[in-house]
Amino acid sequence: MFGEVAKTFRKRARLTQEQFAPLVGYSPETVASIEQGRRLPPPDFAERADSILDAFGVILAAAKHLARRKGLASWFRQWAELELSALSLYTYECRLIPGLLQTAAYARTLFADQLPPLADEQIEAQLAARLERQRLLHERPNTAFSFILEEHLFLRDLGGKEVTRELLDHILDLSELRNVDIQIMPLVRHHHAGLGGPVQLLETPDHQWFGYLEGQAHGQFVSDPKAISVIQMRCASMRSQALSLDDSQSLMRQMRGAR
C-alpha cells in the first residue's frame, strides 16, 4: 500500500523512477523495490518523498502503517532499518556465514535445522526475508561492506559439499564487488581480537556509529560511545589479523577446488 501511494504521487509529479531517484537520494532500483512493495523504505525516504512530491503529508501518513513482512525477528528490526541507509557496515562472524552472504541452499539448511522445528511456511517466510535483505549489497553501491569470516565456517561443510561449493562460488563473486571486502581469519591464529564473539558495526549518514551483538535467543543493540569505541578497536585489530583481500580470495579458491 505504501508503495502504491508513493508511486501515485510520483506519477502525479510527472517524474519517472530514474528522475525521482536522485531527488530522493536513492537508486532507481531502490525506488522500484519500494513502489513494488518488495522492501520497506529507508527511515528518511517518506519525509523526502512527501516534500519533493508535494504530497500534502499523505506519504508520511502512509509510512506510519508500514509493517515488515514475516520472517525478520522483532529484535533485529531496529538494526535492519539502519542497514538500509548505512554508509558502512562491518561484520565479524565465527558461528555461521552472515545472512547477507548466504545462498538460498545454505540459508534453508540453517532454517531446517532450527530447534524447535519450524513449519514449512515459516521456513519459506524467513528465507524470503533473508534473500530480500541481500539486495542491499547491490542496491547500495556507495555503502562499504566489510566481512571477516572464520575459515572453519567453510570447513564444516554445512548442508554438504555441494552446498559449500555453491557458497564459496557465491562469496567469491560477491568479493569482486567494489563495495564489498571479504577477509578470512585463518584456522591457526596465535592472536585474535574477536574471541568475544560475533559483532556488527554500522555508520549512519549522520556519522553516528552503532553496534549489534547477537546471541542464541536475542540481539543486543549497542549505542553507548564507550562500548562502540571498544568494538571499533576490536574490528580494526581483526582486519589486520585476518588474511588480506587477495590472500582471502586465494584461500577460498583453494577450498573450492578441494570440493
Side-chain angles (χ1 to χ4, degrees), residues 40-56:
L40 285 180
D44 58 350
F45 180 90
E47 184 175 354
R48 291 183 187 177
D50 198 277
S51 175
I52 292 167
L53 300 176
D54 193 21
F56 317 108

Side-chain angles (χ1 to χ4, degrees), residues 133-149:
R133 181 170 161 252
Q134 291 177 358
R135 299 171 66 90
L136 286 173
L137 296 177
H138 297 279
E139 293 185 355
R140 298 285 301 172
N142 296 322
T143 297
F145 294 92
S146 176
F147 299 90
I148 299 175
L149 312 176

Side-chain angles (χ1 to χ4, degrees), residues 70-92:
K70 294 179 180 179
L72 199 61
S74 59
W75 41 263
F76 184 71
R77 291 176 185 172
Q78 184 178 12
W79 182 261
E81 290 299 321
L82 288 172
E83 279 185 337
L84 295 175
S85 58
L87 292 180
S88 56
L89 179 66
Y90 300 92
T91 301
Y92 163 68

Side-chain angles (χ1 to χ4, degrees), residues 125-239:
Q126 293 199 21
L127 181 60
R130 180 149 302 177
L131 296 179
E132 173 66 22
R133 181 170 161 252
Q134 291 177 358
R135 299 171 66 90
L136 286 173
L137 296 177
H138 297 279
E139 293 185 355
R140 298 285 301 172
N142 296 322
T143 297
F145 294 92
S146 176
F147 299 90
I148 299 175
L149 312 176
E150 292 287 347
E151 180 182 354
H152 69 75
L153 297 179
F154 301 98
L155 300 178
R156 183 174 292 136
D157 274 342
L158 190 68
K161 291 187 179 299
E162 288 298 326
V163 171
T164 302
R165 186 181 295 115
E166 179 191 29
L167 180 68
L168 281 162
D169 284 338
H170 177 65
I171 293 179
L172 279 167
D173 287 343
L174 291 176
S175 71
E176 297 293 338
L177 296 175
R178 286 178 303 192
N179 63 323
V180 177
D181 288 345
I182 298 176
Q183 292 179 263
I184 303 298
M185 186 70 77
L187 198 59
V188 177
R189 173 56 69 198
H190 296 161
H191 301 282
H192 196 319
L195 297 181
V199 63
Q200 294 187 65
L201 189 64
L202 176 150
E203 182 185 11
T204 71
D206 298 327
H207 306 293
Q208 291 182 291
W209 288 88
F210 296 100
Y212 180 73
L213 311 174
E214 190 168 282
Q216 286 200 9
H218 58 81
Q220 179 184 355
F221 186 83
V222 182
S223 59
D224 178 66
K226 292 183 180 179
I228 293 297
S229 179
V230 171
I231 295 174
Q232 288 175 323
M233 285 190 289
R234 291 175 180 173
C235 286
S237 183
M238 281 191 286
R239 284 197 294 274

Side-chain angles (χ1 to χ4, degrees), residues 17-18 20-31 34 39 41-46 48 84-86 139-140 205:
Q17 289 178 343
E18 289 72 20
F20 176 58
L23 298 177
V24 79
Y26 290 93
S27 68
E29 292 77 17
T30 297
V31 171
I34 292 170
R39 65 175 292 177
D44 58 350
F45 180 90
R48 291 183 187 177
L84 295 175
S85 58
E139 293 185 355
R140 298 285 301 172

